[in-house]
């Protein structure tokens, strides 16, 4: 481990993937201990981890490709394929199950088949909103007290299937 | 003077519309030419009332909740027209401090959460901030460790190990690079107290870490926050910048010769990374696999250096312990469980939220009096204590005292203080199957029983439900549980039998096993 301060450099669309890997790694002073932060940054940029980024990153951090790949593969957060237009995390922790999370999962599975390619989802175990269960998350947006009709409406709206009016404020029929 | 209106920025509150309400407050106040200041506080932890809007008056803060954006206009109208203390509105709650749920708590670690602006350092100091750190600096490292030990504070992450002993071990290592790592992975379902504290009073955690660093001789700190908590991550990063600017972090902290820096690191969706050695692996940029002991992290932790690993609430309890003295904390609670515990009421419960109370309170008090029973209004069937690796308890055990030893004697555990309630509709065979499935998904893969046994366990429960070979299958499940208990390196595999066995023992009918108990249950 060397220095400590994190340096920021702007990222631009025109940068090639190789440039991007370089910029992101340099932001963390090419410190191999920051690999997970680096993978997060890459995923934030692309929505997933493009295959050709891993060898680039490994090179800058002076670790093997296998090591970088092993880390990326270990953690649930990292995707190797782009998510759909709408990507949901649905909580399946016990608190959410006690309030009907399994019903939400069945619903999303059905809608996923119906709206082929428009939505993707993953099951997660606790979003820290267990007093307002069941909970879901889309990007950084957490929603509590989700019920099936609310979720169906939100999915249909977000995938361009329903009227977009007003803002939704959680599942509690407000 | 402008009227102060508070509305939480806590992600739980935001998850039911707090941001929309905040926008409405700004908009509607503007329309009415109201002189008003909106403060985004943390949550009071009464989540069934969120979004909870509070208006400051001469007598205290008047609450309204749960407020939706469309109601803001009419509430503001009433506030303009009448004395806020006498406002009559369907959502008016009166003085927030007088709400029974809050009034009957003993807020010690959470004393500022929901009250202050989380990122206003002046507000923090006006509410006792940095008193503990100053006291600790005056006492010196050795006496600080003694205070922490004398307070009886035990680790709040789950294992309940005495904090003072750990601190002394790290402090006793030869001088050189040492680390303080805050475990903010909070992976247990049914828990959210770490998140509430990080979002609602981040300086408190940072102050605890600074005290820990000075006491143990560490110069670098990390906070390992799960990626599911983006708001907490943002808040902590901002709070760190503010402390750096104000000389509470960096070189020569508060004019002393101490140096300490803190960096926030994101987790990546792995439950086992909450286990301390897996967390250290992850902080080193590796796969989150559990390390075998010895050595313990206090002697050889991050990058092989002495490392203090503590949970968010352990560290956040230290400033007040230092400020008010070990004795004041030690006298709270019971025989071996000193101080307060942040209980978290979760799942199918009417009044879910955070209840901080001295150890020893009964589960019934928490579930019935605070929680108000199930949210669905159906009959209470069971609760899971202490997260996904914790035991299920039924109504017969509601009078148990919530403290480390008593729960252990009864085959349960406190863990991180989560209490997840289920009503009579729950299928306990499904919950037992889920416990195995969870273990299979989250296993770090190092031990065979945990990696493979969990999959076999899940299949066995499924087979049990088909009704064929019941006796044999049950025996197999029991064997698997014993193997998991005996052959696991960490509590992931080692405690998975707890929810499984308790579910079968308490609710055999859900498994098609009328009136029978499981052969030989080992008391963990
Ligand atoms: C599978 C597993 C998951 C854990 N998850 C957490 C967690 O999310 N947060 C936490 O503070 N401790 C967690 N722990 C406990 C830690 O290993 C460790 O005991 C704790 O961080 C020590 O801090 P404390 O003494 O302040 O509690 C976990 C343990 C295991 C075995
Ligand atoms: S018990 Fe499971 S999670 Fe723990 S070290 Fe073994 S394989 Fe890893
Ligand atoms: S269990 Fe779903 S948010 Fe905690």
């Amino acid at each position: 481990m060397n220095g400590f301060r994190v340096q920021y450099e702007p990222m631009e669309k025109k940068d090639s993937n190789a440039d991007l890997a370089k910029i992101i790694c340099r932001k963390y002073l090419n410190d191999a201990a920051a690999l997970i932060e680096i993978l997060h940054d890459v995923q934030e940029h692309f929505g997933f981890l493009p295959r050709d980024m891993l060898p680039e990153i490994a090179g800058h951090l002076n670790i093997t490709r296998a090591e970088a790949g092993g880390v990326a593969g270990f953690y649930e957060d990292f995707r190797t394929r782009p998510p759909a237009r709408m990507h949901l995390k649905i909580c399946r922790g016990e608190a959410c199950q006690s309030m009907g999370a399994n019903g939400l999962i069945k619903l999303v599975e059905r809608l996923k088949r119906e709206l082929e390619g428009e939505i993707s989802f993953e099951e997660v175990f606790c979003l820290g909103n267990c007093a307002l269960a069941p909970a879901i998350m889309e990007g950084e947006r957490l929603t509590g007290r989700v019920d099936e009709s609310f979720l169906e409406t939100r999915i249909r709206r977000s995938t361009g299937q329903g009227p977009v009016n007003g803002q939704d404020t959680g599942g509690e029929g407000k | 003077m402008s009227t102060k209106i508070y509305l939480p920025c806590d992600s739980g509150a935001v998850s039911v519309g707090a941001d929309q309400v905040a926008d409405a407050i700004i908009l509607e106040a503007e329309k009415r030419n109201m002189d008003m200041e909106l403060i985004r506080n943390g949550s009071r932890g009464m989540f069934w009332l969120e979004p909870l809007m509070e208006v400051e008056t001469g007598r205290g803060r008047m609450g309204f909740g749960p407020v939706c954006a469309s109601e803001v206009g009419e509430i503001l109208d009433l506030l303009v027209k009448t004395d806020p203390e006498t406002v009559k509105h369907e959502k008016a709650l009166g003085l927030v401090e007088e709400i029974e749920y809050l009034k009957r708590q003993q807020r010690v670690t959470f004393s500022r959460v929901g009250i202050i602006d989380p990122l206003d350092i002046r507000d923090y100091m006006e509410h006792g901030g940095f008193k503990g750190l100053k006291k600790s600096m005056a006492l010196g490292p050795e006496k600080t460790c003694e205070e922490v030990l004398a307070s009886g504070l035990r680790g709040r992450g789950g294992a309940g190990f005495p904090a003072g002993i750990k601190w002394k071990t790290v402090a006793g290592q030869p001088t050189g690079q040492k680390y303080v790592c805050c475990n903010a992975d909070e992976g247990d379902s049914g828990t959210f107290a770490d998140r509430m504290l990080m979002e609602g009073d981040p300086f408190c955690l940072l102050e605890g870490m600074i005290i820990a660093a000075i006491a143990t001789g560490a110069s670098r700190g990390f906070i390992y926050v799960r990626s599911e908590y983006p708001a907490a991550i943002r808040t902590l990063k901002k709070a760190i910048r503010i402390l750096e600017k104000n000389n509470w972090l960096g070189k020569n902290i508060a004019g002393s010769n101490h140096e300490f820096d803190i960096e926030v690191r994101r987790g990546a969706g792995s439950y086992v990374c909450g286990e301390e050695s897996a967390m250290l692996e992850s902080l080193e940029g590796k796969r989150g696999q559990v390390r075998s002991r010895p050595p313990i992290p206090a002697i050889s932790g991050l990058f092989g250096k002495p490392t203090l690993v503590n949970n968010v609430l352990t560290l956040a309890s230290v400033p007040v312990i230092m400020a008010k003295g070990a004795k004041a904390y030690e006298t709270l609670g019971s025989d071996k469980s000193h101080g307060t515990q942040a209980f978290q009421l979760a799942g199918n419960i009417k009044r879910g939220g955070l209840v901080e109370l001295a150890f020893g309170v009964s589960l019934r008090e928490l579930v019935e009096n605070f929680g108000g029973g199930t949210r669905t209004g159906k009959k209470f069937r069971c609760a899971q204590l202490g997260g996904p690796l914790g035991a299920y308890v039924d109504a017969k055990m509601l009078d148990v005292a919530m403290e480390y030893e008593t729960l252990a004697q009864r085959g349960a555990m406190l863990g991180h203080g989560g209490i997840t309630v289920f009503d009579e509709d729950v299928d306990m065979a499904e919950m037992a199957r889920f416990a195995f499935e969870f273990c299979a998904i989250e296993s770090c893969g190092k031990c065979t029983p945990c990696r493979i046994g969990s999959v076999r366990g899940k299949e066995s429960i499924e087979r049990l439900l088909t009704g064929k070979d019941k006796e044999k299958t049950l025996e197999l499940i029991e064997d698997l549980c014993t193997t998991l208990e005996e052959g696991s390196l960490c509590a992931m595999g080692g405690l998975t039998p707890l929810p499984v066995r308790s579910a079968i023992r308490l609710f055999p009918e859900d498994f098609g096993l009328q009136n029978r108990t499981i052969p030989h249950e080992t008391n963990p």
Side-chain angles (χ1 to χ4, degrees):
Chain A
M1 298 223 64
N2 32 27
F4 193 29
R5 280 291 146 259
V6 162
Q7 280 153 22
Y8 294 93
E9 284 179 47
M11 282 184 249
E12 302 200 17
K13 273 272 181 280
K14 66 174 172 28
D15 289 325
S16 72
N17 285 4
D19 289 338
L20 223 117
K22 191 169 157 193
I23 292 169
I24 293 176
C25 289
R26 210 191 296 154
K27 173 176 153 188
Y28 296 96
L29 306 168
N30 295 332
D31 178 2
L35 176 58
I36 293 156
E37 286 291 316
I38 291 167
L39 295 177
H40 271 304
D41 281 8
V42 171
Q43 179 152 304
E44 262 166 32
H45 188 85
F46 293 98
F48 69 108
L49 297 180
R51 198 177 273 275
D52 59 345
M53 289 297 276
L54 279 179
E56 294 287 337
I57 294 167
H60 292 297
L61 304 185
N62 210 5
I63 56 176
T64 66
R65 266 176 204 218
E67 281 171 313
V71 171
F74 180 84
Y75 294 96
E76 285 298 319
D77 277 4
F78 301 124
R79 287 185 290 266
T80 49
R81 282 193 304 178
R85 170 143 73 134
M86 182 187 208
H87 182 78
L88 291 171
K89 287 183 175 168
I90 304 192
C91 181
R92 231 184 118 209
E94 283 87 348
C96 287
Q97 286 197 48
S98 80
M99 290 300 293
N102 290 331
L104 298 182
I105 289 168
K106 282 205 193 91
L107 169 77
V108 177
E109 276 168 350
R110 174 167 65 78
L111 289 174
K112 189 180 162 189
R113 281 193 298 272
E114 184 193 321
L115 310 166
E116 214 176 303
E118 295 285 313
I119 53 170
S120 52
F121 79 101
E122 61 192 297
E123 295 172 9
V124 296
F125 304 104
C126 196
L127 293 166
N129 203 23
C130 336
L132 291 167
I136 63 167
M137 203 166 186
E138 185 184 358
E140 295 200 344
R141 181 168 160 219
L142 177 69
T143 308
R145 290 258 193 270
V146 177
D147 63 26
E148 288 175 32
S149 70
F150 163 80
L151 185 57
E152 176 156 4
T153 311
R154 179 150 144 200
I155 290 174
R156 291 197 186 280
R157 270 191 211 165
S158 295
T159 51
Q161 283 216 325
V164 182
N165 49 27
Q167 301 151 308
D168 47 29
T169 53
E172 199 116 279
K174 284 179 181 153
Chain B
M1 216 181 73
S2 59
T3 313
K4 279 188 178 158
I5 298 184
Y6 292 82
L7 198 86
C9 61
D10 176 276
S11 13
V14 171
S15 85
V16 285
D19 282 347
Q20 285 83 346
V21 175
D23 285 348
I25 292 174
I26 294 169
L27 206 79
E28 298 293 333
E30 185 109 344
K31 274 194 214 157
R32 288 163 182 77
N33 253 329
M34 211 177 144
D35 184 13
M36 159 313 281
E37 182 191 354
L38 178 66
I39 295 160
R40 301 299 298 271
N41 54 342
S43 170
R44 299 270 195 166
M46 300 185 285
F47 284 102
W48 76 100
L49 295 178
E50 295 290 3
L52 170 61
M53 170 179 167
E54 299 178 35
V55 183
E56 190 150 270
T57 74
R59 275 206 305 137
R61 296 194 200 160
M62 308 299 289
F64 298 86
V67 175
C68 60
S70 60
E71 291 168 327
V72 168
E74 61 196 51
I75 294 175
L76 292 188
D77 277 338
L78 290 168
L79 288 174
V80 173
K81 268 187 267 157
T82 50
D83 180 358
E85 292 175 35
T86 56
V87 164
K88 291 221 168 13
H89 187 272
E90 183 198 350
K91 298 285 173 76
L93 302 163
L95 282 172
V96 176
E97 307 280 349
E98 293 297 317
I99 298 174
E100 282 288 295
Y101 195 90
L102 208 55
K103 198 178 170 186
R104 289 178 37 227
Q105 294 191 32
Q106 291 158 293
R107 290 275 173 116
V108 177
T109 307
F110 282 78
S111 65
R112 278 178 297 258
V113 175
I115 297 193
I116 62 165
D117 176 342
L119 289 170
D120 183 342
I121 194 166
R122 278 225 320 265
D123 214 1
Y124 180 67
M125 292 178 78
E126 277 164 20
H127 287 84
F130 296 121
K131 274 198 186 139
L133 175 56
K134 285 178 192 156
K135 175 96 168 286
S136 148
M137 283 173 130
L139 285 177
E142 216 163 300
K143 287 217 174 99
T144 299
C145 287
E146 287 299 337
E147 275 298 283
V148 174
L149 186 64
S151 74
L153 176 66
R154 294 170 65 166
R156 299 286 186 250
F161 188 80
I165 294 181
K166 214 188 262 184
W167 285 40
K168 280 178 124 177
T169 311
V170 179
Q173 300 306 304
T175 26
Q177 182 70 63
K178 295 180 189 176
Y179 298 97
V180 171
C181 292
C182 170
N183 190 341
D185 200 48
E186 194 164 67
D188 286 357
S189 57
T191 68
F192 43 83
D194 292 353
R195 179 186 63 67
M196 278 182 63
L197 190 114
M198 291 187 282
E199 293 180 358
D201 193 9
F203 294 136
C204 177
L205 169 61
L206 301 179
E207 184 182 345
M209 287 182 74
I210 300 168
I211 296 173
I214 295 177
T216 57
S219 60
R220 288 190 63 181
F222 289 93
I223 311 177
Y224 187 85
V225 193
R226 63 202 304 254
S227 59
E228 289 85 349
Y229 288 179
I233 291 169
R234 263 195 309 275
T235 306
L236 284 172
K237 285 186 174 170
K238 284 186 199 157
I240 290 169
R241 292 288 101 83
I242 294 169
L243 291 198
E244 284 170 349
K245 275 201 197 115
N246 287 275
N247 213 18
W248 292 105
L249 278 174
K251 288 196 169 66
N252 308 107
I253 290 170
S256 70
N257 56 4
H258 297 292
E259 177 180 353
F260 186 53
D261 286 299
I262 301 178
E263 200 177 333
V264 176
R265 283 288 166 85
R266 283 171 282 184
S270 157
Y271 176 74
V272 83
C273 283
E275 193 284 332
E276 56 186 4
S277 65
M279 178 187 83
L280 296 175
E281 288 288 301
S282 190
L283 281 170
E284 292 182 12
K286 302 180 187 149
R287 298 157 66 95
Q289 283 192 314
V290 175
R291 296 177 183 171
S292 37
R293 288 166 179 252
I296 54 167
I299 293 170
S300 174
L302 190 62
F303 304 110
K305 304 290 181 203
T307 304
L308 179 74
V309 180
N310 271 138
N311 171 257
V312 173
L313 299 187
T314 315
L315 291 162
S317 299
V318 170
V320 62
I321 288 173
M322 293 310 298
K324 300 208 167 147
K327 195 81 206 146
Y329 195 79
E330 197 262 351
T331 44
L332 290 169
S334 53
D335 201 15
K336 285 191 185 142
S337 307
H338 299 283
T340 56
Q341 168 71 42
F343 298 101
Q344 296 133 83
L345 304 183
N348 196 333
I349 190 148
K350 200 188 256 164
R351 295 191 289 266
L354 182 117
V355 179
E356 184 176 0
L357 278 174
F359 285 97
V361 58
S362 76
L363 181 57
R364 185 185 302 283
E365 174 76 9
L366 291 166
V367 170
E368 292 180 357
N369 296 351
F370 280 93
T374 65
R375 180 169 165 83
T376 42
K378 293 185 181 173
K379 212 167 137 203
F380 168 93
R381 186 143 192 246
C382 62
Q384 188 179 29
L385 307 183
L389 307 176
Y392 287 97
V393 299
D394 63 2
K396 286 199 221 84
M397 220 172 104
L398 279 173
D399 291 308
V400 69
M402 297 293 281
E403 54 192 17
Y404 295 110
E405 272 71 25
T406 312
L407 283 171
Q409 277 160 19
R410 305 283 302 267
M413 65 171 203
L414 187 62
H416 187 47
I419 299 170
T420 300
V421 174
F422 295 81
D423 72 11
E424 58 192 350
D425 288 345
V426 64
D427 173 359
M428 292 310 291
E430 171 53 28
M431 298 321 290
R433 199 192 64 85
F434 175 77
F436 275 130
E437 185 188 351
F438 180 72
C439 181
I441 294 173
E442 296 293 344
S443 168
C444 83
K446 214 162 175 171
C447 328
T448 317
C450 175
R451 190 181 65 238
I452 313 232
S454 52
V455 181
R456 293 291 309 279
K458 180 180 148 231
E459 292 162 358
S460 302
I461 302 257
E462 283 159 4
R463 182 135 36 88
L464 191 62
L465 294 177
T466 64
K468 269 184 273 168
D469 288 335
K470 268 195 218 167
E471 288 303 316
K472 248 176 72 195
T473 313
L474 200 59
E475 218 168 282
L476 182 69
I477 293 172
E478 180 51 30
D479 278 352
L480 273 169
C481 284
T482 309
T483 314
L484 274 170
E485 258 173 10
E486 287 168 0
S488 298
L489 194 55
C490 83
M492 177 83 236
L495 290 181
T496 293
L498 217 52
V500 173
R501 280 184 172 142
S502 56
I504 301 178
R505 174 169 46 88
L506 295 171
F507 307 102
E509 64 274 21
D510 288 22
F511 298 80
L513 306 162
Q514 259 63 31
N515 307 322
R516 65 155 301 157
T517 44
I518 196 147
H520 59 285
E521 188 162 11
T522 38
N523 210 357

